[in-house]
Amino acid sequence: MVIPWLLNRNGQAITISNKFKGVKKAADLKPAVDQAKAAGSPLTFAMTFPPGTHAMWLRYWLASGGIHPDKDVTLITIPPPQMVANMKVGKMDGFCVGEPWNGRAVSDGIGYTAVTTQKMWLDHPEKACAFTEEFATKNPKTVKAILKALHLASEHIDKMENRAQIAATIAKQSYLNCPPEIILDRLQGKYDYGNGVKEQDPNYMIFSARNCNAPLKSHGHWWLSQFRRWGMVKGQDYTGIVNQVIRPDLYLGAMSELGVKPKLTDMAPIKLADGVFDPKDPEKYAQSFPIHSLAG
């Protein structure tokens, strides 16, 4: 696969069951985690895909509080709408997912937002548009056409005056089957965290602003470092893999035909909530964490 386009940044969150209301940081949750583990019924947390973005945010957050995601809790994989349903009947204790399901848990009165992903890593990469390398090589004009269409769509979605119509469209039963007002609030950065805190977050989900769509190699190095940290891969040729997968050349080629000239800064240090990632030394970073599942 090759990635020439990022669809969006920010706008995911970790939701915790209301029975833990008062927990703000993962460290606050650790006593309950330890107690449940000792009792033989570890707390259960859900994500959408084992090596996906939500899994990485959830693992990162839990580990930041001294909780080992592979040893101290049970991680399960279920579709987003079922996360809310499962929490409602007490089958799990938390989940990480995109909106509107975090907002839906608050609206339904079953959970609260412990942290948004933009507060873990501002303007982090989220969803991507990817092609098989074979398809991209054989169909360069088609790839360019798709990227140009995505650019126009992304600009449209990023205009706040268009987001009500976007929310109404994706609220339909054939898409999210969720009340549009729940979708719209967080699309507009209006966060009711469900724990008594409400705020207007200026760093809501973006689809075009701040060079949002540029595929950066520094991001690829971070993701590989986390796959490495959690034992999903062994020692890797970070640079070789990232150069093969992350394709800013395809992105820039399509943008040049639209007269768009992004100013890109790549391979610069990335600031996260609890430290700085140097993409020039991802292996050192992967091995720097006291909580890990490093393999080989």
Side-chain angles (χ1 to χ4, degrees):
M1 303 297 291
V2 296
I3 298 175
W5 187 273
L6 292 180
L7 289 164
N8 65 286
R9 303 195 190 198
N10 304 331
Q12 321 298 295
I14 293 174
T15 290
I16 305 295
S17 169
N18 276 341
K19 63 185 176 183
F20 300 110
K21 195 167 284 189
V23 167
K24 296 181 179 179
K25 300 181 294 183
D28 300 334
L29 190 63
K30 193 172 190 311
V33 167
D34 291 343
Q35 183 178 6
K37 181 182 177 183
S41 53
L43 298 186
T44 300
F45 293 85
M47 68 277 191
T48 52
F49 189 58
T53 57
H54 301 139
M56 295 303 110
W57 303 136
L58 182 59
R59 286 173 170 274
Y60 199 92
W61 184 76
L62 289 170
S64 73
I67 300 167
H68 199 304
D70 293 319
K71 298 178 180 179
D72 298 334
V73 298
T74 299
L75 298 182
I76 60 174
T77 304
I78 57 175
Q82 292 182 25
M83 291 182 179
V84 176
N86 274 265
M87 184 176 282
K88 187 174 292 186
V89 296
K91 288 188 176 180
M92 61 190 209
D93 304 287
F95 57 77
C96 183
V97 73
E99 300 299 347
W101 308 112
N102 302 286
R104 181 65 186 262
V106 172
S107 177
D108 287 0
I110 60 170
Y112 68 96
T113 298
V115 65
T116 61
T117 50
Q118 56 263 35
K119 291 187 176 178
M120 296 168 63
W121 173 359
L122 178 60
D123 284 354
H124 65 79
E126 196 38 55
K127 301 299 179 286
C129 172
F131 302 88
T132 63
E133 187 174 30
E134 180 184 15
F135 181 90
T137 301
K138 291 182 177 179
N139 303 279
K141 291 183 179 179
T142 300
V143 170
K144 278 187 178 181
I146 291 171
L147 299 186
K148 288 191 286 186
L150 282 172
H151 173 76
L152 298 176
S154 298
E155 286 191 320
H156 177 82
I157 296 171
D158 241 12
K159 292 177 181 176
M160 198 56 71
E161 62 268 25
N162 293 332
R163 292 205 172 183
Q165 179 262 326
I166 297 299
T169 298
I170 63 175
K172 296 176 181 178
Q173 188 173 7
S174 54
Y175 293 107
L176 295 182
N177 192 25
C178 181
E181 60 271 16
I182 295 177
I183 299 171
L184 182 59
D185 273 354
R186 295 202 173 189
L187 269 181
Q188 294 179 331
K190 298 175 183 177
Y191 279 83
D192 176 354
Y193 291 90
N195 58 1
V197 177
K198 297 181 181 182
E199 73 168 352
Q200 177 67 42
D201 186 350
N203 300 308
Y204 48 79
M205 188 183 294
I206 55 174
F207 297 86
S208 180
R210 302 194 290 277
N211 291 322
C212 166
N213 308 123
L216 300 182
K217 295 184 178 182
S218 56
H219 295 162
H221 285 282
W222 188 86
W223 289 108
L224 268 181
S225 78
Q226 295 309 290
F227 294 158
R228 177 88 169 101
R229 175 187 181 183
W230 299 120
M232 297 175 180
V233 297
K234 296 184 178 181
Q236 294 293 313
D237 172 15
Y238 287 88
T239 300
I241 293 172
V242 168
N243 286 345
Q244 182 179 355
V245 175
I246 307 296
R247 295 291 299 275
D249 58 313
L250 298 178
Y251 165 76
L252 292 171
M255 292 304 94
S256 68
E257 293 191 4
L258 289 176
V260 176
K261 299 178 180 179
K263 295 180 180 179
L264 302 185
T265 300
D266 202 352
M267 296 302 289
I270 295 171
K271 184 178 180 181
L272 286 86
D274 61 351
V276 176
F277 168 62
D278 181 1
K280 294 183 175 66
D281 197 351
E283 181 64 15
K284 180 180 178 181
Y285 181 76
Q287 297 200 29
S288 69
F289 295 96
I291 294 179
H292 61 80
S293 298
L294 284 164

